[in-house]
Amino acid sequence: MSILPYVLRDFWEDPWSGLSRPSRLFDQGFGNVLTDDDLALSMFNRFGPSSGVRRPPQSSGMSEVVNNENEFRIGLDVRHFKPEELKVTTKDNRIVVNAKHEERPDEHGYIMREFTRQYVLPKDVDPNTVTSGLSRDGVLTIKAPKKALKAPEERAIPITHEPSDQKEPEK
């Protein structure tokens, strides 16, 4: 029997456990035309930071997940979609982001975009507290606070007495 399923079990139950820094995806262009920056980024990834190739600033398509002690936050570049073309829902213990626009003309012909992305919520986030907002530059931000852990309260612990077998002496 392989030990691998036991090692990965915790990851599949809560993939955010142990994540202390932001997690970023840079390939979320959703059908964009490649630019010179994209090609330069590809060269950077091929040769690495020690090759002397400078990493260009990412212009679009970035997805960032932050999971710290105070909140769970997602930033997603959706600039190619109008606000009414976006839908954010929670289902079970997941956040589901769906965006779709019908076929329309662009500089190369016609294009139709659609994507669905799901994020598993950490165990210490209530799905009912999730909020979202769209910035002017097309970044969708989805946030949820972490559940506040109650500080242990002082409480009296009663002491139970077992009945004794001996009778008390009479006075």
Side-chain angles (χ1 to χ4, degrees), residues 89-103:
T89 58
T90 57
K91 181 178 181 185
D92 299 325
N93 201 35
R94 296 175 185 259
I95 296 173
V96 181
V97 180
N98 181 268
K100 178 180 181 178
H101 68 69
E102 298 302 322
E103 186 175 282

mmCIF file with all atom_site columns, all heavy atoms in Angstrom, residues 89-103:
data_model
loop_
_atom_site.group_PDB
_atom_site.id
_atom_site.type_symbol
_atom_site.label_atom_id
_atom_site.label_alt_id
_atom_site.label_comp_id
_atom_site.label_asym_id
_atom_site.label_entity_id
_atom_site.label_seq_id
_atom_site.pdbx_PDB_ins_code
_atom_site.Cartn_x
_atom_site.Cartn_y
_atom_site.Cartn_z
_atom_site.occupancy
_atom_site.B_iso_or_equiv
_atom_site.pdbx_formal_charge
_atom_site.auth_seq_id
_atom_site.auth_comp_id
_atom_site.auth_asym_id
_atom_site.auth_atom_id
_atom_site.pdbx_PDB_model_num
ATOM 1   N N   . THR A 1 89  ? -20.419 33.252 -6.589  1.00 0.00 ? 89  THR A N   1
ATOM 2   C CA  . THR A 1 89  ? -21.308 32.508 -5.702  1.00 0.00 ? 89  THR A CA  1
ATOM 3   C C   . THR A 1 89  ? -20.476 31.653 -4.753  1.00 0.00 ? 89  THR A C   1
ATOM 4   O O   . THR A 1 89  ? -19.283 31.437 -4.983  1.00 0.00 ? 89  THR A O   1
ATOM 5   C CB  . THR A 1 89  ? -22.255 31.573 -6.493  1.00 0.00 ? 89  THR A CB  1
ATOM 6   O OG1 . THR A 1 89  ? -21.467 30.671 -7.276  1.00 0.00 ? 89  THR A OG1 1
ATOM 7   C CG2 . THR A 1 89  ? -23.183 32.351 -7.396  1.00 0.00 ? 89  THR A CG2 1
ATOM 8   N N   . THR A 1 90  ? -21.125 31.191 -3.690  1.00 0.00 ? 90  THR A N   1
ATOM 9   C CA  . THR A 1 90  ? -20.514 30.177 -2.838  1.00 0.00 ? 90  THR A CA  1
ATOM 10  C C   . THR A 1 90  ? -21.361 28.926 -2.954  1.00 0.00 ? 90  THR A C   1
ATOM 11  O O   . THR A 1 90  ? -22.594 28.996 -3.009  1.00 0.00 ? 90  THR A O   1
ATOM 12  C CB  . THR A 1 90  ? -20.431 30.620 -1.362  1.00 0.00 ? 90  THR A CB  1
ATOM 13  O OG1 . THR A 1 90  ? -21.732 30.933 -0.891  1.00 0.00 ? 90  THR A OG1 1
ATOM 14  C CG2 . THR A 1 90  ? -19.507 31.798 -1.192  1.00 0.00 ? 90  THR A CG2 1
ATOM 15  N N   . LYS A 1 91  ? -20.688 27.807 -3.029  1.00 0.00 ? 91  LYS A N   1
ATOM 16  C CA  . LYS A 1 91  ? -21.376 26.524 -3.109  1.00 0.00 ? 91  LYS A CA  1
ATOM 17  C C   . LYS A 1 91  ? -20.571 25.545 -2.281  1.00 0.00 ? 91  LYS A C   1
ATOM 18  O O   . LYS A 1 91  ? -19.370 25.403 -2.492  1.00 0.00 ? 91  LYS A O   1
ATOM 19  C CB  . LYS A 1 91  ? -21.474 26.047 -4.555  1.00 0.00 ? 91  LYS A CB  1
ATOM 20  C CG  . LYS A 1 91  ? -22.197 24.739 -4.709  1.00 0.00 ? 91  LYS A CG  1
ATOM 21  C CD  . LYS A 1 91  ? -22.306 24.329 -6.155  1.00 0.00 ? 91  LYS A CD  1
ATOM 22  C CE  . LYS A 1 91  ? -23.071 23.027 -6.236  1.00 0.00 ? 91  LYS A CE  1
ATOM 23  N NZ  . LYS A 1 91  ? -23.114 22.515 -7.590  1.00 0.00 ? 91  LYS A NZ  1
ATOM 24  N N   . ASP A 1 92  ? -21.237 24.899 -1.345  1.00 0.00 ? 92  ASP A N   1
ATOM 25  C CA  . ASP A 1 92  ? -20.567 24.033 -0.385  1.00 0.00 ? 92  ASP A CA  1
ATOM 26  C C   . ASP A 1 92  ? -19.492 24.860 0.319   1.00 0.00 ? 92  ASP A C   1
ATOM 27  O O   . ASP A 1 92  ? -19.793 25.890 0.858   1.00 0.00 ? 92  ASP A O   1
ATOM 28  C CB  . ASP A 1 92  ? -19.991 22.790 -1.065  1.00 0.00 ? 92  ASP A CB  1
ATOM 29  C CG  . ASP A 1 92  ? -21.089 21.948 -1.732  1.00 0.00 ? 92  ASP A CG  1
ATOM 30  O OD1 . ASP A 1 92  ? -22.203 21.894 -1.176  1.00 0.00 ? 92  ASP A OD1 1
ATOM 31  O OD2 . ASP A 1 92  ? -20.833 21.364 -2.797  1.00 0.00 ? 92  ASP A OD2 1
ATOM 32  N N   . ASN A 1 93  ? -18.256 24.466 0.242   1.00 0.00 ? 93  ASN A N   1
ATOM 33  C CA  . ASN A 1 93  ? -17.188 25.232 0.887   1.00 0.00 ? 93  ASN A CA  1
ATOM 34  C C   . ASN A 1 93  ? -16.260 25.829 -0.173  1.00 0.00 ? 93  ASN A C   1
ATOM 35  O O   . ASN A 1 93  ? -15.049 25.853 -0.012  1.00 0.00 ? 93  ASN A O   1
ATOM 36  C CB  . ASN A 1 93  ? -16.406 24.330 1.849   1.00 0.00 ? 93  ASN A CB  1
ATOM 37  C CG  . ASN A 1 93  ? -15.659 25.133 2.871   1.00 0.00 ? 93  ASN A CG  1
ATOM 38  O OD1 . ASN A 1 93  ? -16.132 26.175 3.313   1.00 0.00 ? 93  ASN A OD1 1
ATOM 39  N ND2 . ASN A 1 93  ? -14.484 24.672 3.235   1.00 0.00 ? 93  ASN A ND2 1
ATOM 40  N N   . ARG A 1 94  ? -16.854 26.320 -1.268  1.00 0.00 ? 94  ARG A N   1
ATOM 41  C CA  . ARG A 1 94  ? -16.083 26.870 -2.383  1.00 0.00 ? 94  ARG A CA  1
ATOM 42  C C   . ARG A 1 94  ? -16.649 28.218 -2.814  1.00 0.00 ? 94  ARG A C   1
ATOM 43  O O   . ARG A 1 94  ? -17.831 28.473 -2.679  1.00 0.00 ? 94  ARG A O   1
ATOM 44  C CB  . ARG A 1 94  ? -16.124 25.948 -3.593  1.00 0.00 ? 94  ARG A CB  1
ATOM 45  C CG  . ARG A 1 94  ? -15.488 24.613 -3.351  1.00 0.00 ? 94  ARG A CG  1
ATOM 46  C CD  . ARG A 1 94  ? -15.690 23.708 -4.562  1.00 0.00 ? 94  ARG A CD  1
ATOM 47  N NE  . ARG A 1 94  ? -15.178 22.396 -4.300  1.00 0.00 ? 94  ARG A NE  1
ATOM 48  C CZ  . ARG A 1 94  ? -14.013 21.965 -4.739  1.00 0.00 ? 94  ARG A CZ  1
ATOM 49  N NH1 . ARG A 1 94  ? -13.258 22.733 -5.465  1.00 0.00 ? 94  ARG A NH1 1
ATOM 50  N NH2 . ARG A 1 94  ? -13.603 20.756 -4.444  1.00 0.00 ? 94  ARG A NH2 1
ATOM 51  N N   . ILE A 1 95  ? -15.744 29.039 -3.368  1.00 0.00 ? 95  ILE A N   1
ATOM 52  C CA  . ILE A 1 95  ? -16.154 30.266 -4.045  1.00 0.00 ? 95  ILE A CA  1
ATOM 53  C C   . ILE A 1 95  ? -16.071 29.958 -5.530  1.00 0.00 ? 95  ILE A C   1
ATOM 54  O O   . ILE A 1 95  ? -15.056 29.447 -6.014  1.00 0.00 ? 95  ILE A O   1
ATOM 55  C CB  . ILE A 1 95  ? -15.225 31.441 -3.708  1.00 0.00 ? 95  ILE A CB  1
ATOM 56  C CG1 . ILE A 1 95  ? -15.317 31.780 -2.221  1.00 0.00 ? 95  ILE A CG1 1
ATOM 57  C CG2 . ILE A 1 95  ? -15.561 32.648 -4.561  1.00 0.00 ? 95  ILE A CG2 1
ATOM 58  C CD1 . ILE A 1 95  ? -14.309 32.812 -1.777  1.00 0.00 ? 95  ILE A CD1 1
ATOM 59  N N   . VAL A 1 96  ? -17.138 30.260 -6.259  1.00 0.00 ? 96  VAL A N   1
ATOM 60  C CA  . VAL A 1 96  ? -17.181 30.002 -7.701  1.00 0.00 ? 96  VAL A CA  1
ATOM 61  C C   . VAL A 1 96  ? -17.293 31.350 -8.413  1.00 0.00 ? 96  VAL A C   1
ATOM 62  O O   . VAL A 1 96  ? -18.214 32.123 -8.154  1.00 0.00 ? 96  VAL A O   1
ATOM 63  C CB  . VAL A 1 96  ? -18.381 29.103 -8.081  1.00 0.00 ? 96  VAL A CB  1
ATOM 64  C CG1 . VAL A 1 96  ? -18.392 28.839 -9.576  1.00 0.00 ? 96  VAL A CG1 1
ATOM 65  C CG2 . VAL A 1 96  ? -18.347 27.797 -7.292  1.00 0.00 ? 96  VAL A CG2 1
ATOM 66  N N   . VAL A 1 97  ? -16.333 31.630 -9.295  1.00 0.00 ? 97  VAL A N   1
ATOM 67  C CA  . VAL A 1 97  ? -16.341 32.857 -10.095 1.00 0.00 ? 97  VAL A CA  1
ATOM 68  C C   . VAL A 1 97  ? -16.596 32.450 -11.534 1.00 0.00 ? 97  VAL A C   1
ATOM 69  O O   . VAL A 1 97  ? -15.872 31.616 -12.086 1.00 0.00 ? 97  VAL A O   1
ATOM 70  C CB  . VAL A 1 97  ? -15.000 33.611 -10.005 1.00 0.00 ? 97  VAL A CB  1
ATOM 71  C CG1 . VAL A 1 97  ? -15.044 34.877 -10.839 1.00 0.00 ? 97  VAL A CG1 1
ATOM 72  C CG2 . VAL A 1 97  ? -14.651 33.912 -8.562  1.00 0.00 ? 97  VAL A CG2 1
ATOM 73  N N   . ASN A 1 98  ? -17.639 33.028 -12.133 1.00 0.00 ? 98  ASN A N   1
ATOM 74  C CA  . ASN A 1 98  ? -17.959 32.750 -13.525 1.00 0.00 ? 98  ASN A CA  1
ATOM 75  C C   . ASN A 1 98  ? -18.067 34.073 -14.263 1.00 0.00 ? 98  ASN A C   1
ATOM 76  O O   . ASN A 1 98  ? -18.665 35.022 -13.766 1.00 0.00 ? 98  ASN A O   1
ATOM 77  C CB  . ASN A 1 98  ? -19.274 31.973 -13.629 1.00 0.00 ? 98  ASN A CB  1
ATOM 78  C CG  . ASN A 1 98  ? -19.618 31.639 -15.054 1.00 0.00 ? 98  ASN A CG  1
ATOM 79  O OD1 . ASN A 1 98  ? -20.316 32.390 -15.713 1.00 0.00 ? 98  ASN A OD1 1
ATOM 80  N ND2 . ASN A 1 98  ? -19.113 30.527 -15.541 1.00 0.00 ? 98  ASN A ND2 1
ATOM 81  N N   . ALA A 1 99  ? -17.465 34.127 -15.441 1.00 0.00 ? 99  ALA A N   1
ATOM 82  C CA  . ALA A 1 99  ? -17.553 35.315 -16.291 1.00 0.00 ? 99  ALA A CA  1
ATOM 83  C C   . ALA A 1 99  ? -17.775 34.857 -17.721 1.00 0.00 ? 99  ALA A C   1
ATOM 84  O O   . ALA A 1 99  ? -17.169 33.882 -18.169 1.00 0.00 ? 99  ALA A O   1
ATOM 85  C CB  . ALA A 1 99  ? -16.273 36.139 -16.191 1.00 0.00 ? 99  ALA A CB  1
ATOM 86  N N   . LYS A 1 100 ? -18.655 35.558 -18.425 1.00 0.00 ? 100 LYS A N   1
ATOM 87  C CA  . LYS A 1 100 ? -18.946 35.167 -19.803 1.00 0.00 ? 100 LYS A CA  1
ATOM 88  C C   . LYS A 1 100 ? -19.446 36.378 -20.562 1.00 0.00 ? 100 LYS A C   1
ATOM 89  O O   . LYS A 1 100 ? -20.278 37.130 -20.074 1.00 0.00 ? 100 LYS A O   1
ATOM 90  C CB  . LYS A 1 100 ? -20.009 34.073 -19.824 1.00 0.00 ? 100 LYS A CB  1
ATOM 91  C CG  . LYS A 1 100 ? -20.395 33.648 -21.222 1.00 0.00 ? 100 LYS A CG  1
ATOM 92  C CD  . LYS A 1 100 ? -21.446 32.561 -21.196 1.00 0.00 ? 100 LYS A CD  1
ATOM 93  C CE  . LYS A 1 100 ? -21.791 32.157 -22.616 1.00 0.00 ? 100 LYS A CE  1
ATOM 94  N NZ  . LYS A 1 100 ? -22.766 31.081 -22.655 1.00 0.00 ? 100 LYS A NZ  1
ATOM 95  N N   . HIS A 1 101 ? -18.914 36.549 -21.763 1.00 0.00 ? 101 HIS A N   1
ATOM 96  C CA  . HIS A 1 101 ? -19.541 37.500 -22.679 1.00 0.00 ? 101 HIS A CA  1
ATOM 97  C C   . HIS A 1 101 ? -19.690 36.841 -24.038 1.00 0.00 ? 101 HIS A C   1
ATOM 98  O O   . HIS A 1 101 ? -18.902 35.984 -24.446 1.00 0.00 ? 101 HIS A O   1
ATOM 99  C CB  . HIS A 1 101 ? -18.819 38.851 -22.740 1.00 0.00 ? 101 HIS A CB  1
ATOM 100 C CG  . HIS A 1 101 ? -17.466 38.855 -23.360 1.00 0.00 ? 101 HIS A CG  1
ATOM 101 N ND1 . HIS A 1 101 ? -17.240 38.654 -24.703 1.00 0.00 ? 101 HIS A ND1 1
ATOM 102 C CD2 . HIS A 1 101 ? -16.255 39.070 -22.814 1.00 0.00 ? 101 HIS A CD2 1
ATOM 103 C CE1 . HIS A 1 101 ? -15.956 38.756 -24.953 1.00 0.00 ? 101 HIS A CE1 1
ATOM 104 N NE2 . HIS A 1 101 ? -15.327 38.986 -23.811 1.00 0.00 ? 101 HIS A NE2 1
ATOM 105 N N   . GLU A 1 102 ? -20.771 37.203 -24.688 1.00 0.00 ? 102 GLU A N   1
ATOM 106 C CA  . GLU A 1 102 ? -21.105 36.609 -25.971 1.00 0.00 ? 102 GLU A CA  1
ATOM 107 C C   . GLU A 1 102 ? -20.109 37.039 -27.035 1.00 0.00 ? 102 GLU A C   1
ATOM 108 O O   . GLU A 1 102 ? -19.305 37.950 -26.843 1.00 0.00 ? 102 GLU A O   1
ATOM 109 C CB  . GLU A 1 102 ? -22.532 37.017 -26.370 1.00 0.00 ? 102 GLU A CB  1
ATOM 110 C CG  . GLU A 1 102 ? -23.605 36.530 -25.405 1.00 0.00 ? 102 GLU A CG  1
ATOM 111 C CD  . GLU A 1 102 ? -23.629 35.016 -25.218 1.00 0.00 ? 102 GLU A CD  1
ATOM 112 O OE1 . GLU A 1 102 ? -23.410 34.267 -26.204 1.00 0.00 ? 102 GLU A OE1 1
ATOM 113 O OE2 . GLU A 1 102 ? -23.851 34.567 -24.084 1.00 0.00 ? 102 GLU A OE2 1
ATOM 114 N N   . GLU A 1 103 ? -20.194 36.407 -28.169 1.00 0.00 ? 103 GLU A N   1
ATOM 115 C CA  . GLU A 1 103 ? -19.295 36.708 -29.284 1.00 0.00 ? 103 GLU A CA  1
ATOM 116 C C   . GLU A 1 103 ? -19.436 38.165 -29.704 1.00 0.00 ? 103 GLU A C   1
ATOM 117 O O   . GLU A 1 103 ? -20.537 38.686 -29.836 1.00 0.00 ? 103 GLU A O   1
ATOM 118 C CB  . GLU A 1 103 ? -19.650 35.803 -30.463 1.00 0.00 ? 103 GLU A CB  1
ATOM 119 C CG  . GLU A 1 103 ? -18.698 35.922 -31.617 1.00 0.00 ? 103 GLU A CG  1
ATOM 120 C CD  . GLU A 1 103 ? -19.023 34.917 -32.707 1.00 0.00 ? 103 GLU A CD  1
ATOM 121 O OE1 . GLU A 1 103 ? -18.680 33.738 -32.538 1.00 0.00 ? 103 GLU A OE1 1
ATOM 122 O OE2 . GLU A 1 103 ? -19.626 35.329 -33.712 1.00 0.00 ? 103 GLU A OE2 1
#
